[in-house]
Amino acid sequence: MNFKKLAVVGSLVLMSGGLVACGKASAKSSSTQKTLHLMQDTDLTSLDTSNTATLTQWNVLQQSMEGLYRVNSKNKVVGAMATKVVKPTNNGKTYTFHLRKNAKWSNGDKVTAQDFVTAWRRSVSSTSTSGYSYIYEGIKNATQISAGKKSTKTLGVKAVNQTTLKVTLSRAMPYLSKMLTMPAFFPQDHKVVAKYGKDYGTSSTKMAYNGPFTVSGWNGTNDSWNMLKNTYYYDKSAIKLNKMTMQVVKDSTTAHNLFSQGKLDDATVSGVTAQGLQSDKHMKHVSKAGTYYLRLNMAKNHALHNKYLRQALNLVLNKSSLTKKVLSDGSTPAYNYVTPSLVTDPTTGKDFGTETASTARYNVKKAQQLWNKGLKQLGKKSVTLKLVSDDTSISKTIDQFVQAAVKQHLSGAKVNVSAVPDKTGSSAVSEGDYDMQYTLWLADYADPVSFFDILTKNNPQNYGHYRDTVFNTQVSEAHGKNATNTKAYWQNMRTAAKRLNTTTAVVPLYNMTESHLVNSKLQGVVYHSVGENDYTRASFK
């Protein structure tokens, strides 16, 4: 979803003003330490997933809430509020979940099936402002409800009794179990929602929590808060920490300094700061299932409607040089829209992003040939492309990299850069006033279709106007007739991925990597490639 993805871009690409010395200190620790000091790099604006969706919010809720399922340390989906992972019936269209009878909210209320019904209805509503209502598509009537054509009461989710939840789909969704681990599907204490109404989640006290920790001391605007061990959590014996502290740190230099002073146990750094710390003994690179890429405007009135020009752009960019010499922060070059580490193809046993990667590499001579061929088809001698990106330092670095490569190697090509605030850039893209956009897609769940859906013909986020019959057919078949046929489904996925590569639907640049400075005594943190990092089972040596 666009809002979340832009928030990620804004939070991860902050660059400091200059190099700093490698940190040799880490947060004080001992085997008796029970408090974990963490940071977030953007503000916390709400705890209500039905009306807001930001990375910081989801990071906080990962530690304080649980859905039907959770992802364990082995990246396996396991039961959370549901007693176990269930198999669907009715040809994959009906799921019946049995909730834990000992699951409680932090206020002592019992976690009930109605809590899921309340949360999902609020989130899918046409009045929801989270931007995530689309994630419910596939659940019966969700699309019509989001469009304001049906009542939320018709959503395919029903509380059969206090501990039995029945979910009815309009089509089989083999990846639903993975989706249900997302904060978008977390429950909401229906009694608390009724009590606070529109103020639900606007502060830490206007919430109830069903996860390992509770949020304390957040008034809705402050930039620091605590997370305290939840005594009502059903698996509290597995929680070793008593407390987490969180503070908003937007600058990488500040994050590094706080870590060096022992005030953070896990600090996220980026840009120049991260470059200067690559050999630091506390550095940990976390690969995320996200791809930074150039979105291309393929509308008929734009030059990049021509596939040869798109292919030329992809080949003229030296992505290896970009990651090693320009970024120098542990990022790796991307040769696929779908990021490696997203998921293993169960029919081949191979990493999906790797097995479907394009074989095309930096090749100036071929790029020039393709560019000239494209110009000839268009009947033009030159083309000027508008590149839109946000106004952060690293975005400007990427802009310069693209601009220089095109100018140096492609005759009759010019790139005009528009580096503007996110809101302005988003407007330009949604209005079609661009040719290329530097952006990021971060997987919502561990399935290639999480990447593919936004490039399908009628998806509202298909801002590049990608229209390819072969690709659309593959995704449509995967959602439809092949949804429950594992072999056919993954064949659809592989064909769709390769089609994106051959048609150059996007220009992948580099794979998302987080740079963390981590206390050497800290253990038990699960750094998920998909989803938020899980600190709930952490402890100190």
Side-chain angles (χ1 to χ4, degrees):
M1 193 278 299
N2 228 20
F3 182 80
K4 180 186 174 186
K5 305 307 176 262
L6 289 174
V8 176
V9 173
S11 66
L12 291 181
V13 300
L14 288 169
M15 295 183 74
S16 65
L19 283 168
V20 291
C22 292
K24 297 300 180 184
S26 63
K28 295 179 181 179
S29 62
S30 69
S31 59
T32 59
Q33 184 173 340
K34 297 293 183 180
T35 299
L36 173 63
H37 301 288
L38 301 173
M39 63 169 276
Q40 296 295 322
D41 42 22
T42 58
D43 296 325
L44 178 62
T45 57
S46 174
L47 291 168
D48 181 5
T49 53
S50 294
N51 286 318
T52 306
T54 67
L55 190 60
T56 293
Q57 177 201 50
W58 284 29
N59 284 337
V60 172
L61 295 179
Q62 173 70 47
Q63 325 308 321
S64 59
M65 300 283 279
E66 278 191 355
L68 292 166
Y69 301 151
R70 59 183 293 269
V71 180
N72 66 13
S73 60
K74 297 180 180 179
N75 280 320
K76 182 180 179 181
V77 176
V78 296
M81 290 298 99
T83 56
K84 64 179 181 179
V85 177
V86 301
K87 292 183 178 180
T89 56
N90 186 28
N91 295 317
K93 295 181 181 180
T94 302
Y95 288 77
T96 303
F97 303 95
H98 297 284
L99 307 186
R100 295 180 185 274
K101 294 182 178 180
N102 62 337
K104 291 185 176 182
W105 292 97
S106 54
N107 59 7
D109 288 347
K110 183 181 181 67
V111 177
T112 68
Q114 185 58 45
D115 297 328
F116 286 92
V117 174
T118 296
W120 293 13
R121 285 178 176 176
R122 291 183 74 236
S123 296
V124 81
S125 168
S126 61
T127 60
S128 170
T129 55
S130 70
Y132 251 81
S133 58
Y134 81 91
I135 207 73
Y136 288 85
E137 291 180 3
I139 296 179
K140 185 179 178 181
N141 294 328
T143 302
Q144 296 93 321
I145 294 169
S146 295
K149 296 179 180 179
K150 285 192 176 183
S151 166
T152 57
K153 293 181 180 180
T154 66
L155 184 66
V157 56
K158 179 182 179 182
V160 178
N161 54 45
Q162 274 205 330
T163 58
T164 305
L165 181 73
K166 183 178 179 180
V167 176
T168 304
L169 308 181
S170 58
R171 54 178 167 81
M173 299 168 64
Y175 41 82
L176 180 65
S177 294
K178 300 173 184 177
M179 295 175 68
L180 292 178
T181 66
M182 297 168 55
F185 290 94
F186 284 174
Q188 297 167 1
D189 186 332
H190 69 278
K191 295 180 181 179
V192 176
V193 171
K195 178 180 179 179
Y196 292 111
K198 63 182 178 60
D199 291 329
Y200 173 80
T202 56
S203 70
S204 58
T205 56
K206 295 176 180 177
M207 283 275 294
Y209 309 89
N210 69 328
F213 291 84
T214 65
V215 184
S216 174
W218 182 67
N219 63 18
T221 59
N222 53 319
D223 59 6
S224 64
W225 56 90
N226 295 322
M227 305 193 75
L228 309 177
K229 186 174 180 178
N230 184 2
T231 57
Y232 284 102
Y233 183 55
Y234 70 90
D235 194 24
K236 64 181 180 181
S237 62
I239 311 305
K240 308 304 180 185
L241 297 171
N242 291 331
K243 179 180 178 181
M244 297 182 194
T245 68
M246 284 193 179
Q247 60 180 305
V248 178
V249 182
K250 297 182 179 181
D251 178 73
S252 280
T253 302
T254 302
H256 174 220
N257 290 338
L258 289 172
F259 179 81
S260 298
Q261 295 164 14
K263 296 179 180 179
L264 286 176
D265 294 301
D266 187 330
T268 306
V269 293
S270 57
V272 175
T273 304
Q275 290 176 6
L277 293 168
Q278 291 306 298
S279 60
D280 190 279
K281 66 180 181 180
H282 300 105
M283 176 60 69
K284 178 180 179 63
H285 291 125
V286 179
S287 296
K288 290 287 187 179
T291 303
Y292 287 93
Y293 64 99
L294 293 180
R295 174 183 279 137
L296 308 177
N297 190 344
M298 290 165 275
K300 289 185 178 180
N301 61 332
H302 285 260
L304 296 182
H305 179 69
N306 185 281
K307 70 175 182 179
Y308 297 118
L309 296 190
R310 301 198 302 268
Q311 291 169 348
L313 281 173
N314 186 49
L315 293 177
V316 82
L317 301 177
N318 190 335
K319 300 166 188 177
S320 178
S321 178
L322 170 64
T323 55
K324 293 179 181 179
K325 298 179 181 179
V326 180
L327 297 175
S328 302
D329 62 355
S331 298
T332 57
Y335 301 107
N336 202 348
Y337 175 51
V338 179
T339 319
S341 79
L342 172 72
V343 65
T344 297
D345 180 339
T347 63
T348 64
K350 299 177 181 178
D351 177 89
F352 182 84
T354 301
E355 74 172 344
T356 60
S358 171
T359 57
R361 295 294 185 271
Y362 178 58
N363 188 327
V364 172
K365 184 177 180 180
K366 188 173 181 180
Q368 291 171 336
Q369 293 171 346
L370 289 166
W371 185 261
N372 292 333
K373 188 174 182 178
L375 288 181
K376 185 175 181 180
Q377 278 195 349
L378 293 174
K380 295 184 177 182
K381 293 184 178 181
S382 64
V383 167
T384 299
L385 302 174
K386 180 179 179 179
L387 170 59
V388 173
S389 69
D390 61 46
D391 55 356
T392 59
S393 297
I394 198 168
S395 294
K396 293 176 181 178
T397 299
I398 298 297
D399 295 342
Q400 292 168 4
F401 170 79
V402 173
Q403 192 176 42
V406 170
K407 181 180 180 180
Q408 180 180 354
H409 299 300
L410 299 180
S411 177
K414 182 180 180 181
V415 174
N416 287 338
V417 173
S418 177
V420 293
D422 283 346
K423 185 175 182 180
T424 304
S426 296
S427 295
V429 171
S430 62
E431 293 170 5
D433 184 21
Y434 81 106
D435 292 293
M436 301 182 289
Q437 182 202 18
Y438 167 58
T439 189
L440 163 73
W441 185 257
L442 178 62
D444 286 316
Y445 49 95
D447 193 285
V449 80
S450 177
F451 279 84
F452 296 159
D453 275 346
I454 66 164
L455 293 181
T456 53
K457 182 179 179 180
N458 296 318
N459 191 285
Q461 294 197 51
N462 184 8
Y463 299 117
H465 304 283
Y466 181 60
R467 304 284 190 270
D468 185 81
T469 303
V470 174
F471 174 77
N472 284 319
T473 298
Q474 297 303 313
V475 177
S476 179
E477 288 182 352
H479 281 313
K481 69 176 185 178
N482 293 334
T484 57
N485 183 330
T486 301
K487 184 177 180 179
Y489 179 88
W490 286 93
Q491 182 59 59
N492 287 143
M493 294 292 98
R494 289 192 298 274
T495 303
K498 292 175 181 178
R499 187 63 179 175
L500 292 181
N501 288 332
T502 57
T503 58
T504 317
V506 302
V507 175
L509 295 174
Y510 59 101
N511 301 312
M512 182 179 176
T513 301
E514 287 182 346
S515 294
H516 290 252
L517 293 172
V518 182
N519 184 339
S520 58
K521 298 288 186 179
L522 182 62
Q523 61 184 4
V525 179
V526 183
Y527 294 95
H528 292 299
S529 62
V530 180
E532 294 64 47
N533 298 328
D534 185 352
Y535 295 90
T536 61
R537 270 72 177 171
S539 62
F540 291 91
K541 298 176 184 177

